[in-house]
Amino acid sequence: MFPYIIRRIMLMIFMLLLLSIVTFLLFNAVPTDPARLTCGKSCSPQIIEANRIRLGLDKPLPVQYVEWIKGIFVGRTYGSGTQTFDCHTPCLGYSFKNGEEVTVMIKQALPATIYLALGSFILWMVFGIASGIYAANRKGKWQDRTIMGITLVGYSLPVFLIGLMMLLFVIVRWNFLPYPDYVSPTVNPIQFLQTMILPWISLAILYAAYYTRLTRSQMLETMSEDYIRTARAKGLPENRVVRKHAFRAGLTPIVTSAGMDLAGLLGGAVITEYIFSLPGLGRLAIDAVKEYDLPTITATTLVAATFIIVANIVVDVLYAAIDPRVRLS
Amino acid sequence: MSDVVLSVRDLSVEFATEDGVVHAVDKVSYSVKRGETLAIVGESGSGKSVSSLAVMGLIRGNNAKVTGEVHFAGQELVGLDPEEVRKLRGLQMAMIFQDPLSALHPFYTIGQQLVEAVQVHEKVSDDEANARVETMLDRVGIASAKQRMDEYPHQLSGGMRQRVMIAMALINSPDLLIADEPTTALDVTVQAQILELLRDLQKEFGTAIVLITHDLGVVADMADDVMVMYGGQAVEQSPVRELFYQPQMPYTWGLLSSIPQMHASSLKLDPIPGTPPSLINLPKGCVFAPRCTYKDKVADGLCLSERPNLLAVTDTHAARCHMSVEQRADVRRERNIGKVN
């Protein structure tokens, strides 16, 4: 068990390193001069060159990379002599477009994204798994067919359509809810819920449809296993057979998908955040792309990818917790 | 007779499928007494497993239809409330399966799985259940039972897993144990140990055993009575000695002569030609007729046109064959099958 986790963590560190190099190269592969992007249209060559030196863009690529990584761990100071600027740990760069440290911007954007991801995650897991088990237990009957039909529709609908429809009907036409205006739940919990409920639901519909189908197929697969027959031969009541024996055995792929999907959303749900004006990571990333804000693009990419890699190891550890064959081998 | 534990009469199991109705089991009757073993012999798809699953009430699904009578524990199980049958399962009738690795849940320890088997039928404390499990594991020959209880199925050997299955089946001292090919997935040496264990436990607890197998060696070793199944039907039923000494049915002959003989002059096996019938379109005549070498011995093509009944040869021996008893005796002499007088 322990060596397994150590091995996974080593692999994760290696992946993160690789990831940082790729994102860094991405930054430099853009067919524009990063220094040129630091000031507006009427920008003199002197200012461009000054900024180039201040940001360290004149140095060789490996040196730039090391400085960037160092900045993440110990912070860094841009410029030299009297004109210096401190970028605090973890320093992910400085956004000239916003005149702000990228880390600060990400910290501001993170809560909205986390609330969005976690809220819809809970919704879709509860509904997806429950209806998946229900459908599997009534395979072929009308309940199963109805659920499968609904999930097919839910899974096929693009998230922007669901989101826009909800926005249009619930808010614009029927005025059930006020226009979305994100506030922190600590400031105004009611307004927070009013803003989040539709984004939660519209994301959850898509994922719940997928998890219903996944759970159903997993359950159908494990229900035909020999150990389920054994459980019944022992005289266990059917609901115990389903919950304790079949569901537990079919859990692994569900956990994998759940980890990956949650991590993906934590990196920013671009469309949903846009539709419901949530100031989250996805929105930050897209705005950065639109404005050619290179340090922000790099940083948001790095953060989103880090979520995925960390989720991978969490899932691996959960595997071991679920399946003793993984833990003990 | 009071020592009859299980009595099955005209048990049929049908499955409705898209291709038609599958007649998996067709009017099978048998009974097993306390402390005795009935072996059900047949090849894959002969209905031997399905008939036992039907007894256990483990045939599920809307497309399945079980008819006939199953008398067990003073009750008629066919048509009984499934909840009542469930309460009997694991308590008064238990079952072990062919592949003990896939039959044990991979995610729970041996101890957890056995304790569950105790506690589902009886409200006992964890400590008491654990103690009973340990005693039972010890009884089935698992060394250092206490440690083994914390282990998972994949950590045990095949033989040990089957011992665990047996312990789990017998932990509530059931009257009836159905063993579905309990040794097929095991090494030959382990097979012998498991059979010996089953015999010992049978003696100790007086369990009636229904042993499903295709291995006639196991039958000779274990059984008191034998039922040979083919195409969902019982084609021959008799005490074990009579079956080996005076087999009455061409299919049984085929089974007996396809056993490798240690002292045979020829090393060639004598397989039964052809394949088992489809259970959807069973032959109109004898189910075995299409593969039977002797169907021409019976006049008017009767074997292909009319289903033979299961007719008594002696008080205890019955077979499904159109040939006369004399004709059968001739063939046995000719082919040197059974005990030649």
Side-chain angles (χ1 to χ4, degrees):
Chain A
M1 178 69 183
F2 209 62
Y4 169 82
I5 293 178
I6 299 286
R7 231 177 19 245
R8 292 281 134 181
I9 290 177
M10 300 292 270
L11 189 70
M12 178 181 85
I13 292 170
F14 175 73
M15 293 279 288
L16 282 172
L17 204 68
L18 210 67
L19 172 75
S20 68
I21 293 173
V22 172
T23 31
F24 174 77
L25 288 178
L26 217 62
F27 177 94
N28 282 279
V30 180
T32 24
D33 179 1
R36 173 70 189 79
L37 294 168
T38 55
C39 63
K41 282 198 176 107
S42 54
C43 195
S44 70
Q46 286 85 352
I47 300 176
I48 293 175
E49 285 316 306
N51 278 346
R52 190 192 305 285
I53 291 162
R54 279 176 75 190
L55 293 175
L57 295 172
D58 55 332
K59 292 172 187 157
L61 275 187
V63 177
Q64 283 188 42
Y65 174 73
V66 170
E67 282 187 346
W68 181 56
I69 294 293
K70 239 174 84 184
I72 296 175
F73 288 102
V74 296
R76 71 192 279 194
T77 306
Y78 290 108
S80 56
T82 50
Q83 282 205 317
T84 58
F85 172 76
D86 279 334
C87 179
H88 301 93
T89 323
C91 173
L92 288 165
Y94 180 78
S95 164
F96 261 85
K97 298 275 177 193
N98 294 284
E100 182 75 275
E101 289 173 47
V102 175
T103 308
V104 173
M105 291 158 61
I106 287 180
K107 274 182 185 159
Q108 283 166 353
L110 212 47
T113 293
I114 289 178
Y115 290 131
L116 174 64
L118 281 182
S120 56
F121 177 78
I122 292 167
L123 271 183
W124 91 59
M125 289 305 275
V126 169
F127 283 99
I129 288 173
S131 54
I133 292 177
Y134 182 82
N137 283 341
R138 282 158 189 77
K139 185 188 175 237
K141 296 187 182 160
W142 67 268
Q143 295 99 327
D144 176 37
R145 289 182 191 187
T146 311
I147 290 176
M148 284 300 98
I150 294 171
T151 58
L152 186 66
V153 174
Y155 194 49
S156 312
L157 288 177
V159 68
F160 64 83
L161 185 71
I162 302 174
L164 282 176
M165 282 300 175
M166 292 228 237
L167 188 71
L168 177 65
F169 285 101
V170 179
I171 295 176
V172 181
R173 287 271 173 84
W174 301 333
N175 294 314
F176 283 162
L177 290 169
Y179 277 80
D181 181 14
Y182 180 82
V183 287
S184 165
T186 50
V187 175
N188 187 343
I190 304 290
Q191 191 183 336
F192 168 79
L193 285 177
Q194 282 173 338
T195 307
M196 296 305 285
I197 187 80
L198 289 187
W200 280 338
I201 292 174
S202 52
L203 264 185
I205 285 176
L206 175 73
Y207 285 99
Y210 172 71
Y211 279 83
T212 302
R213 294 187 152 252
L214 181 67
T215 307
R216 178 180 177 272
S217 69
Q218 276 307 116
M219 289 302 288
L220 289 180
E221 203 181 306
T222 52
M223 287 303 274
S224 62
E225 292 283 354
D226 284 355
Y227 48 76
I228 297 303
R229 195 179 49 186
T230 307
R232 288 187 179 130
K234 272 200 258 188
L236 291 186
E238 192 59 21
N239 63 14
R240 186 110 161 252
V241 173
V242 170
R243 275 186 297 113
K244 205 178 156 194
H245 289 252
F247 182 61
R248 170 85 192 266
L251 202 56
T252 323
I254 299 174
V255 166
T256 315
S257 288
M260 292 298 116
D261 285 340
L262 179 62
L265 279 184
L266 285 173
V270 176
I271 294 167
T272 310
E273 287 177 15
Y274 241 86
I275 292 175
F276 295 101
S277 319
L278 301 176
L281 268 187
R283 224 184 119 114
L284 182 67
I286 293 300
D287 287 343
V289 169
K290 285 202 296 199
E291 292 165 12
Y292 241 123
D293 186 356
L294 281 179
T296 311
I297 297 174
T298 329
T300 47
T301 311
L302 189 69
V303 169
T306 305
F307 277 129
I308 301 275
I309 289 177
V310 172
N312 249 307
I313 183 172
V314 170
V315 165
D316 280 341
V317 172
L318 283 177
Y319 266 8
I322 295 172
D323 189 341
R325 289 169 300 185
V326 175
R327 196 186 322 150
L328 299 166
S329 61
Chain B
M1 283 204 299
S2 61
D3 58 350
V4 171
V5 172
L6 169 72
S7 162
V8 173
R9 280 177 66 89
D10 292 336
L11 179 70
S12 297
V13 183
E14 291 175 359
F15 297 98
T17 67
E18 285 175 9
D19 302 322
V21 178
V22 176
H23 303 274
V25 179
D26 186 11
K27 294 201 170 166
V28 166
S29 303
Y30 59 83
S31 61
V32 202
K33 290 179 197 153
R34 193 181 137 75
E36 291 196 353
T37 301
L38 168 79
I40 303 182
V41 187
E43 55 200 300
S44 320
S46 61
K48 54 193 196 307
S49 291
V50 175
S51 62
S52 327
L53 288 172
V55 169
M56 293 284 289
L58 288 174
I59 301 284
R60 306 166 54 82
N62 331 327
N63 62 339
K65 201 173 104 191
V66 179
T67 52
E69 296 167 25
V70 175
H71 289 293
F72 178 75
Q75 281 174 295
E76 172 51 52
L77 301 194
V78 177
L80 187 66
D81 177 9
E83 179 60 16
E84 295 301 314
V85 183
R86 176 188 74 72
K87 286 180 188 160
L88 294 175
R89 276 202 298 271
L91 185 63
Q92 298 197 49
M93 55 181 179
M95 192 160 181
I96 58 177
F97 302 97
Q98 179 172 344
D99 180 1
L101 180 59
S102 62
L104 287 165
H105 201 295
F107 295 175
Y108 293 107
T109 62
I110 303 304
Q112 285 170 331
Q113 298 190 48
L114 272 102
V115 164
E116 187 180 39
V118 175
Q119 289 182 331
V120 68
H121 294 293
E122 210 180 324
K123 278 202 182 348
V124 291
S125 68
D126 289 353
D127 285 345
E128 197 190 327
N130 275 310
R132 264 168 68 177
V133 168
E134 199 186 325
T135 314
M136 194 64 207
L137 285 175
D138 199 47
R139 179 63 196 83
V140 298
I142 287 181
S144 47
K146 209 176 180 70
Q147 283 91 317
R148 292 296 183 190
M149 283 173 69
D150 292 328
E151 292 187 2
Y152 292 90
H154 75 275
Q155 294 171 291
L156 307 181
S157 68
M160 263 210 275
R161 283 179 208 132
Q162 195 59 290
R163 283 171 197 271
V164 168
M165 280 301 290
I166 293 171
M168 188 152 82
L170 296 182
I171 194 150
N172 295 317
S173 315
D175 298 328
L176 173 69
L177 173 70
I178 297 177
D180 189 351
E181 310 229 8
T183 56
T184 307
L186 304 175
D187 293 340
V188 183
T189 47
V190 182
Q191 281 187 16
Q193 293 167 10
I194 294 293
L195 291 178
E196 198 187 317
L197 174 67
L198 279 176
R199 260 196 314 265
D200 286 354
L201 292 168
Q202 181 175 37
K203 235 176 261 164
E204 189 179 327
F205 296 108
T207 321
I209 296 181
V210 172
L211 178 73
I212 300 164
T213 182
H214 60 256
D215 185 341
L216 288 169
V218 173
V219 173
D221 221 13
M222 292 283 295
D224 297 292
D225 294 299
V226 188
M227 177 166 83
V228 180
M229 283 190 77
Y230 185 82
Q233 296 184 332
V235 291
E236 184 158 1
Q237 277 176 286
S238 84
V240 67
R241 273 177 175 275
E242 275 185 56
L243 188 95
F244 280 98
Y245 289 163
Q246 262 112 44
Q248 296 292 320
M249 155 81 199
Y251 177 63
T252 317
W253 299 341
L255 285 181
L256 287 169
S257 31
S258 46
I259 305 172
Q261 296 289 327
M262 206 82 96
H263 313 293
S265 47
S266 148
L267 288 174
K268 219 172 117 248
L269 282 181
D270 197 356
I272 306 169
T275 51
S278 145
L279 295 171
I280 295 177
N281 297 307
L282 279 173
K284 191 161 148 265
C286 172
V287 280
F288 186 62
R291 295 171 77 184
C292 184
T293 342
Y294 305 103
K295 55 178 174 288
D296 298 334
K297 286 191 186 269
V298 178
D300 305 330
L302 200 61
C303 290
L304 291 170
S305 62
E306 199 177 301
R307 185 80 49 91
N309 288 321
L310 193 60
L311 289 180
V313 183
T314 68
D315 285 351
T316 49
H317 195 155
R320 219 181 261 275
C321 186
H322 281 308
M323 275 193 277
S324 67
V325 177
E326 293 73 32
Q327 279 176 316
R328 299 178 201 161
D330 288 344
V331 176
R332 282 209 312 277
R333 249 193 305 280
E334 194 184 303
R335 284 184 58 187
N336 197 19
I337 298 169
K339 195 176 189 179
V340 185
N341 303 322

